[in-house]
Amino acid sequence: MTVDGPGKLLSRAPGLSELEASVRAQKIRAEIEAHNYRYYVQDQPSVPDAEYDRLLRELEQLENTFPRLASLQSPTQRVGGTPLEGFAQVRHRYSMLSLANAFSAEEIQLFHERVQRGLEVDSVSYVAEPKLDGVAISLRYQGGRLTQAATRGDGEVGEDVTTNVRTVRAIPLELRAGGWPDDLEVRGEIYMPLAGFAAFNRQQREEGARELVNPRNAAAGSLRQLDSRLTAKRPLAFFAYGAAGDNLPESQFDLLLQLKNWGFPVNAEVRRVENAQGCIAYYTDMAAKRAGLSYDIDGVVFKVEHRQQQETLGFVSRAPRWAIAHKFPAQEEITRLLGIDVQVGRTGALTPVARLEPVFVGGVTVTNATLHNIDEVRRKDIRAGDWVVVRRAGDVIPEVARVVLERREAELAEFELPRLCPVCGSAVERMESEAIARCTGGLYCPAQRKQSILHFASRRAMNIEGLGEKLVDQLVGCGLVHSLADLYILDLGQLAGLERMGEKSAQNVLQEIEASKAPALGRLLFGLGIRDVGEVTAESLARYFGSLERLSIASVDELLDVPDIGPVVAERVYGFFQEMHNRTVLTELAQHGVVARAPEVASGDRPLAGEVWVLTGTLSLPRARAKNLLESLGARVTGSVSASTSVVLAGEAAGSKLRQAEKLGIRVLDESGFRELLQVHGLAAD
DNA sequence: CGTCCTCGAGTTCC
DNA sequence: CTCGAGGACG
């Protein structure tokens, strides 16, 4: 006997006879399967992992010592075995059907009417259940024991994944209770719970291993592992939704109850509903519950409850006439990438943008999606003409998630960045070590000029309302505006002559321009568009120097004394004011009456001085307003939660930042608390 | 020199 | 919102 491994532990229970060992093994197996049952079927918390593992190890030792005790039904089989060469094919005894899809309440109504006509009845009972986003599986039990598990495949022939399926703890290896048919086939969905998915990825990330893309692919990929020991490590779960065999309950609802008794997890959201109305109400209900579920669903399924009625209705081609899936609008869609455009930003940055065959994703039609930069395009191997998966990141900004490589029909050219700016023809330069390529045309490039002006006019800079993209395009296009200063010499006649610009609108724009002549210094600095000088840095500069004149003659050394300014930014600011063109523009702005207001000197008490606040969620007052109020009390307001954050102000529907704050134990204030605080310091939110 | 935090910049649709 | 990169800090 070896010293390490099982032998070492066995020595603690010496002299066990094979009979005693057999009794003990039976007891442990029953205990382990009882734990599984409580956890997966009854959805109740069970023993801690450590205890579970201890039982499993003890059983393993017994089986090692007395090989005759081992069996395929033992929980020790759940850790997986030797890798397979490939998957055998299995012909399904009952074909695995696909479901027709409905995408609207009207289609559900039509489905129900067809059922009514087919059955010649007024009222129909359905069983409604969530449609899991996982892998459909067929399980065969002979004599109450799991003998085969197969994937759906094409519905007729699937793959034998028995060894992998044995590792899924939610699936009973042996049926509980009695009364099962000798030959039973159970259908259901193997899926990966969201928590398990997140935990698994966290671990992968820590180990520097490849992360799973999404829970659905994760479940499918896990089952297709040739090495079942890998499958065993994936947090898979299972819901049963159907069965075939002799003497099964006549009603789908009762069948599910029966399956639960036999030891299968059945989804807790399953309901019996009446008629189209009941189906639609269930759909609405589940759509609302969806976000709170511990697993992904992509819709709901309705099945005529009674088997006799099902048989009466029969099938159309390969789909039953007695069932339908009502899918949620997909959050991911596949569409064709028509081409890749290159946009030129304010700083000359060239950004590849995907032009897409319009596609409805997550509630909106998407035609464009950013591709960020050339590295991103290469990493995802995106080429014009490809079929791509589009989704809305954070449910807002469309992005190309990946290419559907299987559908690439021909050799497609790899995307290349142009060597010349597509707008002005200047050379394109990409600094080594930088991800972004830039047009070197500077303000000679119309794209950069337009974007600079738009930035200058934007709400957080000079806040000139009405000076939008369309107008700027025209102003630059027809040569009325070359530089920022030119905005201040526009007259009514020039503006009113432009497209979509009546006298009234023109007047409004002029008024807005006039009103922008006394900006806060920080806003003006921000508006100038100095590289790497954003809102915060601009404000720092304004505070430190107090006037444009002082700043414009500052040396690099002086600039380095400003908080949060290092060599790179100092050089950029210095360079900006050395540039002849920029000095001219500044002089002209002053001549046209644009004079910045000096920042207010900090005065009075600043009760929140030194505190760092983070805003998250939806507040009933504009964010910018809340920020101003806090800053007027001396707090600094930043964008992301970290250890140095003092307080998180959480509005409605706060998300990751709130969680982060709770994790770090940072003080969290809700809106009413915030309003109280303001009141205490003599401020009002509104 | 490496790591953590911030800030800047760019982006979509209605 | 996300990524990249500048700046602070140990």
PDB file of all heavy atoms in Angstrom, chain B residues 3-14:
ATOM      1  P    DT B   3       3.040  45.148 -11.171  1.00  0.00           P
ATOM      2  OP1  DT B   3       2.945  43.784 -10.624  1.00  0.00           O
ATOM      3  OP2  DT B   3       2.822  45.406 -12.615  1.00  0.00           O
ATOM      4  O5'  DT B   3       2.074  46.101 -10.350  1.00  0.00           O
ATOM      5  C5'  DT B   3       2.418  46.457  -9.019  1.00  0.00           C
ATOM      6  C4'  DT B   3       1.315  47.332  -8.453  1.00  0.00           C
ATOM      7  O4'  DT B   3       1.622  48.729  -8.741  1.00  0.00           O
ATOM      8  C3'  DT B   3      -0.060  47.076  -9.079  1.00  0.00           C
ATOM      9  O3'  DT B   3      -1.022  47.124  -8.045  1.00  0.00           O
ATOM     10  C2'  DT B   3      -0.224  48.204 -10.093  1.00  0.00           C
ATOM     11  C1'  DT B   3       0.546  49.342  -9.425  1.00  0.00           C
ATOM     12  N1   DT B   3       1.133  50.360 -10.345  1.00  0.00           N
ATOM     13  C2   DT B   3       1.180  51.675  -9.924  1.00  0.00           C
ATOM     14  O2   DT B   3       0.773  52.049  -8.847  1.00  0.00           O
ATOM     15  N3   DT B   3       1.747  52.542 -10.818  1.00  0.00           N
ATOM     16  C4   DT B   3       2.249  52.239 -12.072  1.00  0.00           C
ATOM     17  O4   DT B   3       2.732  53.116 -12.783  1.00  0.00           O
ATOM     18  C5   DT B   3       2.158  50.846 -12.450  1.00  0.00           C
ATOM     19  C7   DT B   3       2.660  50.415 -13.796  1.00  0.00           C
ATOM     20  C6   DT B   3       1.607  49.976 -11.574  1.00  0.00           C
ATOM     21  P    DC B   4      -2.522  46.848  -8.301  1.00  0.00           P
ATOM     22  OP1  DC B   4      -2.937  45.799  -7.362  1.00  0.00           O
ATOM     23  OP2  DC B   4      -2.728  46.677  -9.761  1.00  0.00           O
ATOM     24  O5'  DC B   4      -3.193  48.208  -7.866  1.00  0.00           O
ATOM     25  C5'  DC B   4      -2.649  48.929  -6.749  1.00  0.00           C
ATOM     26  C4'  DC B   4      -3.191  50.334  -6.775  1.00  0.00           C
ATOM     27  O4'  DC B   4      -2.492  51.113  -7.764  1.00  0.00           O
ATOM     28  C3'  DC B   4      -4.678  50.407  -7.149  1.00  0.00           C
ATOM     29  O3'  DC B   4      -5.301  51.292  -6.241  1.00  0.00           O
ATOM     30  C2'  DC B   4      -4.673  50.928  -8.590  1.00  0.00           C
ATOM     31  C1'  DC B   4      -3.407  51.794  -8.600  1.00  0.00           C
ATOM     32  N1   DC B   4      -2.760  51.948  -9.924  1.00  0.00           N
ATOM     33  C2   DC B   4      -2.191  53.185 -10.263  1.00  0.00           C
ATOM     34  O2   DC B   4      -2.259  54.123  -9.464  1.00  0.00           O
ATOM     35  N3   DC B   4      -1.582  53.336 -11.463  1.00  0.00           N
ATOM     36  C4   DC B   4      -1.521  52.301 -12.302  1.00  0.00           C
ATOM     37  N4   DC B   4      -0.907  52.496 -13.468  1.00  0.00           N
ATOM     38  C5   DC B   4      -2.089  51.032 -11.980  1.00  0.00           C
ATOM     39  C6   DC B   4      -2.691  50.898 -10.790  1.00  0.00           C
ATOM     40  P    DC B   5      -6.897  51.381  -6.204  1.00  0.00           P
ATOM     41  OP1  DC B   5      -7.260  51.384  -4.793  1.00  0.00           O
ATOM     42  OP2  DC B   5      -7.436  50.387  -7.144  1.00  0.00           O
ATOM     43  O5'  DC B   5      -7.190  52.818  -6.808  1.00  0.00           O
ATOM     44  C5'  DC B   5      -6.158  53.696  -6.724  1.00  0.00           C
ATOM     45  C4'  DC B   5      -6.377  55.045  -7.238  1.00  0.00           C
ATOM     46  O4'  DC B   5      -5.546  55.156  -8.417  1.00  0.00           O
ATOM     47  C3'  DC B   5      -7.758  55.517  -7.655  1.00  0.00           C
ATOM     48  O3'  DC B   5      -7.866  56.842  -7.197  1.00  0.00           O
ATOM     49  C2'  DC B   5      -7.746  55.374  -9.190  1.00  0.00           C
ATOM     50  C1'  DC B   5      -6.284  55.639  -9.516  1.00  0.00           C
ATOM     51  N1   DC B   5      -5.771  54.927 -10.709  1.00  0.00           N
ATOM     52  C2   DC B   5      -5.039  55.673 -11.643  1.00  0.00           C
ATOM     53  O2   DC B   5      -4.856  56.882 -11.450  1.00  0.00           O
ATOM     54  N3   DC B   5      -4.549  55.054 -12.738  1.00  0.00           N
ATOM     55  C4   DC B   5      -4.747  53.747 -12.916  1.00  0.00           C
ATOM     56  N4   DC B   5      -4.247  53.178 -14.014  1.00  0.00           N
ATOM     57  C5   DC B   5      -5.481  52.960 -11.973  1.00  0.00           C
ATOM     58  C6   DC B   5      -5.972  53.598 -10.884  1.00  0.00           C
ATOM     59  P    DT B   6      -9.311  57.532  -7.125  1.00  0.00           P
ATOM     60  OP1  DT B   6      -9.441  58.079  -5.792  1.00  0.00           O
ATOM     61  OP2  DT B   6     -10.326  56.637  -7.716  1.00  0.00           O
ATOM     62  O5'  DT B   6      -9.140  58.770  -8.118  1.00  0.00           O
ATOM     63  C5'  DT B   6      -8.752  58.451  -9.383  1.00  0.00           C
ATOM     64  C4'  DT B   6      -8.269  59.663 -10.091  1.00  0.00           C
ATOM     65  O4'  DT B   6      -7.420  59.147 -11.110  1.00  0.00           O
ATOM     66  C3'  DT B   6      -9.416  60.379 -10.788  1.00  0.00           C
ATOM     67  O3'  DT B   6      -9.118  61.754 -10.926  1.00  0.00           O
ATOM     68  C2'  DT B   6      -9.492  59.668 -12.120  1.00  0.00           C
ATOM     69  C1'  DT B   6      -8.059  59.205 -12.365  1.00  0.00           C
ATOM     70  N1   DT B   6      -7.985  57.839 -12.961  1.00  0.00           N
ATOM     71  C2   DT B   6      -7.219  57.672 -14.083  1.00  0.00           C
ATOM     72  O2   DT B   6      -6.592  58.577 -14.605  1.00  0.00           O
ATOM     73  N3   DT B   6      -7.216  56.400 -14.583  1.00  0.00           N
ATOM     74  C4   DT B   6      -7.878  55.299 -14.086  1.00  0.00           C
ATOM     75  O4   DT B   6      -7.788  54.213 -14.641  1.00  0.00           O
ATOM     76  C5   DT B   6      -8.667  55.543 -12.899  1.00  0.00           C
ATOM     77  C7   DT B   6      -9.433  54.420 -12.285  1.00  0.00           C
ATOM     78  C6   DT B   6      -8.682  56.785 -12.404  1.00  0.00           C
ATOM     79  P    DC B   7     -10.201  62.700 -11.513  1.00  0.00           P
ATOM     80  OP1  DC B   7      -9.995  63.992 -10.852  1.00  0.00           O
ATOM     81  OP2  DC B   7     -11.514  62.031 -11.511  1.00  0.00           O
ATOM     82  O5'  DC B   7      -9.719  62.821 -13.026  1.00  0.00           O
ATOM     83  C5'  DC B   7      -8.388  63.222 -13.267  1.00  0.00           C
ATOM     84  C4'  DC B   7      -8.114  63.151 -14.748  1.00  0.00           C
ATOM     85  O4'  DC B   7      -8.051  61.768 -15.149  1.00  0.00           O
ATOM     86  C3'  DC B   7      -9.195  63.809 -15.597  1.00  0.00           C
ATOM     87  O3'  DC B   7      -8.531  64.646 -16.508  1.00  0.00           O
ATOM     88  C2'  DC B   7      -9.903  62.628 -16.265  1.00  0.00           C
ATOM     89  C1'  DC B   7      -8.805  61.577 -16.317  1.00  0.00           C
ATOM     90  N1   DC B   7      -9.259  60.161 -16.278  1.00  0.00           N
ATOM     91  C2   DC B   7      -8.711  59.238 -17.176  1.00  0.00           C
ATOM     92  O2   DC B   7      -7.872  59.626 -17.999  1.00  0.00           O
ATOM     93  N3   DC B   7      -9.110  57.954 -17.117  1.00  0.00           N
ATOM     94  C4   DC B   7     -10.013  57.572 -16.216  1.00  0.00           C
ATOM     95  N4   DC B   7     -10.368  56.296 -16.196  1.00  0.00           N
ATOM     96  C5   DC B   7     -10.580  58.497 -15.291  1.00  0.00           C
ATOM     97  C6   DC B   7     -10.183  59.773 -15.355  1.00  0.00           C
ATOM     98  P    DG B   8      -9.363  65.520 -17.506  1.00  0.00           P
ATOM     99  OP1  DG B   8      -8.616  66.777 -17.642  1.00  0.00           O
ATOM    100  OP2  DG B   8     -10.789  65.514 -17.138  1.00  0.00           O
ATOM    101  O5'  DG B   8      -9.183  64.677 -18.839  1.00  0.00           O
ATOM    102  C5'  DG B   8      -7.883  64.334 -19.252  1.00  0.00           C
ATOM    103  C4'  DG B   8      -7.916  63.700 -20.620  1.00  0.00           C
ATOM    104  O4'  DG B   8      -8.366  62.327 -20.495  1.00  0.00           O
ATOM    105  C3'  DG B   8      -8.870  64.346 -21.618  1.00  0.00           C
ATOM    106  O3'  DG B   8      -8.186  64.313 -22.858  1.00  0.00           O
ATOM    107  C2'  DG B   8     -10.105  63.448 -21.597  1.00  0.00           C
ATOM    108  C1'  DG B   8      -9.504  62.093 -21.283  1.00  0.00           C
ATOM    109  N9   DG B   8     -10.303  61.154 -20.499  1.00  0.00           N
ATOM    110  C8   DG B   8     -11.055  61.428 -19.390  1.00  0.00           C
ATOM    111  N7   DG B   8     -11.616  60.358 -18.872  1.00  0.00           N
ATOM    112  C5   DG B   8     -11.196  59.328 -19.693  1.00  0.00           C
ATOM    113  C6   DG B   8     -11.475  57.941 -19.641  1.00  0.00           C
ATOM    114  O6   DG B   8     -12.163  57.339 -18.822  1.00  0.00           O
ATOM    115  N1   DG B   8     -10.856  57.246 -20.668  1.00  0.00           N
ATOM    116  C2   DG B   8     -10.064  57.807 -21.617  1.00  0.00           C
ATOM    117  N2   DG B   8      -9.553  56.998 -22.532  1.00  0.00           N
ATOM    118  N3   DG B   8      -9.791  59.107 -21.688  1.00  0.00           N
ATOM    119  C4   DG B   8     -10.392  59.800 -20.697  1.00  0.00           C
ATOM    120  P    DA B   9      -8.809  65.016 -24.088  1.00  0.00           P
ATOM    121  OP1  DA B   9      -7.670  65.477 -24.890  1.00  0.00           O
ATOM    122  OP2  DA B   9      -9.859  65.959 -23.675  1.00  0.00           O
ATOM    123  O5'  DA B   9      -9.476  63.795 -24.846  1.00  0.00           O
ATOM    124  C5'  DA B   9      -8.627  62.734 -25.275  1.00  0.00           C
ATOM    125  C4'  DA B   9      -9.449  61.742 -26.048  1.00  0.00           C
ATOM    126  O4'  DA B   9     -10.150  60.889 -25.121  1.00  0.00           O
ATOM    127  C3'  DA B   9     -10.508  62.372 -26.953  1.00  0.00           C
ATOM    128  O3'  DA B   9     -10.408  61.743 -28.205  1.00  0.00           O
ATOM    129  C2'  DA B   9     -11.824  62.092 -26.243  1.00  0.00           C
ATOM    130  C1'  DA B   9     -11.504  60.804 -25.501  1.00  0.00           C
ATOM    131  N9   DA B   9     -12.252  60.575 -24.271  1.00  0.00           N
ATOM    132  C8   DA B   9     -12.716  61.508 -23.380  1.00  0.00           C
ATOM    133  N7   DA B   9     -13.351  61.001 -22.359  1.00  0.00           N
ATOM    134  C5   DA B   9     -13.298  59.635 -22.586  1.00  0.00           C
ATOM    135  C6   DA B   9     -13.787  58.532 -21.872  1.00  0.00           C
ATOM    136  N6   DA B   9     -14.457  58.656 -20.727  1.00  0.00           N
ATOM    137  N1   DA B   9     -13.562  57.299 -22.372  1.00  0.00           N
ATOM    138  C2   DA B   9     -12.875  57.189 -23.516  1.00  0.00           C
ATOM    139  N3   DA B   9     -12.362  58.150 -24.287  1.00  0.00           N
ATOM    140  C4   DA B   9     -12.613  59.364 -23.760  1.00  0.00           C
ATOM    141  P    DG B  10     -11.213  62.311 -29.422  1.00  0.00           P
ATOM    142  OP1  DG B  10     -10.233  62.519 -30.499  1.00  0.00           O
ATOM    143  OP2  DG B  10     -12.111  63.407 -28.976  1.00  0.00           O
ATOM    144  O5'  DG B  10     -12.095  61.039 -29.784  1.00  0.00           O
ATOM    145  C5'  DG B  10     -11.500  59.731 -29.700  1.00  0.00           C
ATOM    146  C4'  DG B  10     -12.619  58.747 -29.756  1.00  0.00           C
ATOM    147  O4'  DG B  10     -13.121  58.535 -28.417  1.00  0.00           O
ATOM    148  C3'  DG B  10     -13.801  59.258 -30.584  1.00  0.00           C
ATOM    149  O3'  DG B  10     -14.249  58.260 -31.483  1.00  0.00           O
ATOM    150  C2'  DG B  10     -14.857  59.601 -29.553  1.00  0.00           C
ATOM    151  C1'  DG B  10     -14.529  58.617 -28.433  1.00  0.00           C
ATOM    152  N9   DG B  10     -14.998  59.078 -27.144  1.00  0.00           N
ATOM    153  C8   DG B  10     -15.063  60.379 -26.707  1.00  0.00           C
ATOM    154  N7   DG B  10     -15.568  60.499 -25.518  1.00  0.00           N
ATOM    155  C5   DG B  10     -15.849  59.186 -25.135  1.00  0.00           C
ATOM    156  C6   DG B  10     -16.416  58.682 -23.942  1.00  0.00           C
ATOM    157  O6   DG B  10     -16.791  59.318 -22.945  1.00  0.00           O
ATOM    158  N1   DG B  10     -16.532  57.301 -23.963  1.00  0.00           N
ATOM    159  C2   DG B  10     -16.146  56.504 -25.007  1.00  0.00           C
ATOM    160  N2   DG B  10     -16.327  55.198 -24.857  1.00  0.00           N
ATOM    161  N3   DG B  10     -15.609  56.960 -26.135  1.00  0.00           N
ATOM    162  C4   DG B  10     -15.495  58.305 -26.136  1.00  0.00           C
ATOM    163  P    DT B  11     -15.339  58.654 -32.525  1.00  0.00           P
ATOM    164  OP1  DT B  11     -14.810  58.199 -33.804  1.00  0.00           O
ATOM    165  OP2  DT B  11     -15.783  60.055 -32.366  1.00  0.00           O
ATOM    166  O5'  DT B  11     -16.525  57.706 -32.078  1.00  0.00           O
ATOM    167  C5'  DT B  11     -16.225  56.457 -31.459  1.00  0.00           C
ATOM    168  C4'  DT B  11     -17.527  55.802 -31.045  1.00  0.00           C
ATOM    169  O4'  DT B  11     -17.708  55.993 -29.619  1.00  0.00           O
ATOM    170  C3'  DT B  11     -18.741  56.422 -31.727  1.00  0.00           C
ATOM    171  O3'  DT B  11     -19.581  55.417 -32.253  1.00  0.00           O
ATOM    172  C2'  DT B  11     -19.457  57.188 -30.637  1.00  0.00           C
ATOM    173  C1'  DT B  11     -19.007  56.487 -29.369  1.00  0.00           C
ATOM    174  N1   DT B  11     -18.954  57.406 -28.207  1.00  0.00           N
ATOM    175  C2   DT B  11     -19.079  56.880 -26.941  1.00  0.00           C
ATOM    176  O2   DT B  11     -19.202  55.687 -26.733  1.00  0.00           O
ATOM    177  N3   DT B  11     -19.072  57.790 -25.941  1.00  0.00           N
ATOM    178  C4   DT B  11     -18.945  59.169 -26.075  1.00  0.00           C
ATOM    179  O4   DT B  11     -18.959  59.897 -25.097  1.00  0.00           O
ATOM    180  C5   DT B  11     -18.799  59.658 -27.418  1.00  0.00           C
ATOM    181  C7   DT B  11     -18.644  61.131 -27.679  1.00  0.00           C
ATOM    182  C6   DT B  11     -18.808  58.761 -28.416  1.00  0.00           C
ATOM    183  P    DT B  12     -20.557  55.913 -33.396  1.00  0.00           P
ATOM    184  OP1  DT B  12     -20.255  55.084 -34.550  1.00  0.00           O
ATOM    185  OP2  DT B  12     -20.615  57.385 -33.519  1.00  0.00           O
ATOM    186  O5'  DT B  12     -21.947  55.446 -32.768  1.00  0.00           O
ATOM    187  C5'  DT B  12     -22.049  54.240 -32.034  1.00  0.00           C
ATOM    188  C4'  DT B  12     -23.516  53.973 -31.787  1.00  0.00           C
ATOM    189  O4'  DT B  12     -23.858  54.430 -30.458  1.00  0.00           O
ATOM    190  C3'  DT B  12     -24.435  54.710 -32.745  1.00  0.00           C
ATOM    191  O3'  DT B  12     -25.464  53.847 -33.165  1.00  0.00           O
ATOM    192  C2'  DT B  12     -24.955  55.891 -31.939  1.00  0.00           C
ATOM    193  C1'  DT B  12     -24.907  55.371 -30.506  1.00  0.00           C
ATOM    194  N1   DT B  12     -24.600  56.416 -29.515  1.00  0.00           N
ATOM    195  C2   DT B  12     -25.299  56.419 -28.330  1.00  0.00           C
ATOM    196  O2   DT B  12     -26.156  55.597 -28.084  1.00  0.00           O
ATOM    197  N3   DT B  12     -24.952  57.415 -27.468  1.00  0.00           N
ATOM    198  C4   DT B  12     -23.994  58.395 -27.659  1.00  0.00           C
ATOM    199  O4   DT B  12     -23.780  59.235 -26.809  1.00  0.00           O
ATOM    200  C5   DT B  12     -23.296  58.334 -28.916  1.00  0.00           C
ATOM    201  C7   DT B  12     -22.245  59.339 -29.229  1.00  0.00           C
ATOM    202  C6   DT B  12     -23.633  57.358 -29.770  1.00  0.00           C
ATOM    203  P    DC B  13     -26.427  54.279 -34.354  1.00  0.00           P
ATOM    204  OP1  DC B  13     -26.652  53.094 -35.173  1.00  0.00           O
ATOM    205  OP2  DC B  13     -25.937  55.526 -34.958  1.00  0.00           O
ATOM    206  O5'  DC B  13     -27.755  54.579 -33.543  1.00  0.00           O
ATOM    207  C5'  DC B  13     -28.118  53.693 -32.476  1.00  0.00           C
ATOM    208  C4'  DC B  13     -29.318  54.249 -31.742  1.00  0.00           C
ATOM    209  O4'  DC B  13     -28.870  55.145 -30.699  1.00  0.00           O
ATOM    210  C3'  DC B  13     -30.272  55.054 -32.624  1.00  0.00           C
ATOM    211  O3'  DC B  13     -31.593  54.647 -32.360  1.00  0.00           O
ATOM    212  C2'  DC B  13     -30.010  56.497 -32.235  1.00  0.00           C
ATOM    213  C1'  DC B  13     -29.555  56.367 -30.782  1.00  0.00           C
ATOM    214  N1   DC B  13     -28.630  57.432 -30.349  1.00  0.00           N
ATOM    215  C2   DC B  13     -28.671  57.871 -29.015  1.00  0.00           C
ATOM    216  O2   DC B  13     -29.471  57.345 -28.242  1.00  0.00           O
ATOM    217  N3   DC B  13     -27.827  58.860 -28.633  1.00  0.00           N
ATOM    218  C4   DC B  13     -26.973  59.388 -29.504  1.00  0.00           C
ATOM    219  N4   DC B  13     -26.181  60.352 -29.071  1.00  0.00           N
ATOM    220  C5   DC B  13     -26.908  58.945 -30.851  1.00  0.00           C
ATOM    221  C6   DC B  13     -27.746  57.971 -31.233  1.00  0.00           C
ATOM    222  P    DC B  14     -32.801  55.130 -33.219  1.00  0.00           P
ATOM    223  OP1  DC B  14     -33.678  53.983 -33.418  1.00  0.00           O
ATOM    224  OP2  DC B  14     -32.279  55.882 -34.369  1.00  0.00           O
ATOM    225  O5'  DC B  14     -33.529  56.141 -32.242  1.00  0.00           O
ATOM    226  C5'  DC B  14     -33.826  55.710 -30.911  1.00  0.00           C
ATOM    227  C4'  DC B  14     -34.498  56.845 -30.177  1.00  0.00           C
ATOM    228  O4'  DC B  14     -33.489  57.742 -29.668  1.00  0.00           O
ATOM    229  C3'  DC B  14     -35.415  57.694 -31.061  1.00  0.00           C
ATOM    230  O3'  DC B  14     -36.602  58.016 -30.357  1.00  0.00           O
ATOM    231  C2'  DC B  14     -34.610  58.943 -31.355  1.00  0.00           C
ATOM    232  C1'  DC B  14     -33.753  59.068 -30.090  1.00  0.00           C
ATOM    233  N1   DC B  14     -32.459  59.763 -30.306  1.00  0.00           N
ATOM    234  C2   DC B  14     -31.880  60.441 -29.221  1.00  0.00           C
ATOM    235  O2   DC B  14     -32.444  60.419 -28.134  1.00  0.00           O
ATOM    236  N3   DC B  14     -30.706  61.097 -29.417  1.00  0.00           N
ATOM    237  C4   DC B  14     -30.125  61.074 -30.605  1.00  0.00           C
ATOM    238  N4   DC B  14     -28.977  61.728 -30.742  1.00  0.00           N
ATOM    239  C5   DC B  14     -30.696  60.383 -31.708  1.00  0.00           C
ATOM    240  C6   DC B  14     -31.855  59.739 -31.515  1.00  0.00           C
TER     241       DC B  14
END
